[in-house]
């Protein structure tokens, strides 16, 4: 026996995982939740369109589904959308 049975790897400690993993709020990235909330709040307050809340819940469910496999999906998508096209083919 080498005495390593009860040892815990430093990488698996909760403190280090919090530094390396993405922070998800209710299963989706925080900036997407804020954007979804602001847009739905604007529709409800300015246009008195309450049915947008159902659409907002559906958008949140879609964001959770997309972020389940890859937490950086929306960051990569935003970088791709603002990427300049260097080759005009």
């Amino acid at each position: 026996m080498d005495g390593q049975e009860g040892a815990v790897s430093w990488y698996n400690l909760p403190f280090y995982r919090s530094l390396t993993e993405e922070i998800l709020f209710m299963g989706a990235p925080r900036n997407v939740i804020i954007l979804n909330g602001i847009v739905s709040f604007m529709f409800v307050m300015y246009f008195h369109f309450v049915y947008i809340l159902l659409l907002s819940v559906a958008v949140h469910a879609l964001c959770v589904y997309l972020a389940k496999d890859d937490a950086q999906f929306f960051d990569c998508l935003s970088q791709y959308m603002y990427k300049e096209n260097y080759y005009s083919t």
Side-chain angles (χ1 to χ4, degrees):
M1 296 217 132
D2 56 359
Q4 297 292 330
E5 291 177 17
V8 177
S9 172
W10 284 100
Y11 182 74
N12 291 331
L13 289 176
F15 176 73
Y16 291 113
R17 280 193 321 200
S18 68
L19 294 175
T20 58
E21 292 180 358
E22 287 290 322
I23 298 173
L24 300 178
F25 182 66
M26 296 187 325
R30 183 175 45 203
N31 56 357
V32 176
I33 296 287
I34 292 171
L35 179 66
N36 188 14
I38 288 173
V39 169
S40 62
F41 178 76
M42 286 175 39
F43 270 93
V44 169
M45 293 305 290
Y46 294 120
F47 302 121
H48 302 288
F49 190 63
V50 180
Y51 297 114
I52 197 72
L53 295 176
L54 296 174
L55 182 64
S56 176
V57 170
V59 167
H60 175 74
L62 179 68
C63 292
V64 169
Y65 176 74
L66 291 174
K68 187 183 298 183
D69 292 332
D70 185 13
Q72 296 178 344
F73 174 79
F74 295 103
D75 295 333
C76 294
L77 181 66
S78 67
Q79 290 292 324
Y80 175 74
M81 290 174 64
Y82 292 115
K83 187 183 95 167
E84 293 183 19
N85 191 6
Y86 291 110
Y87 305 107
S88 58
T89 55

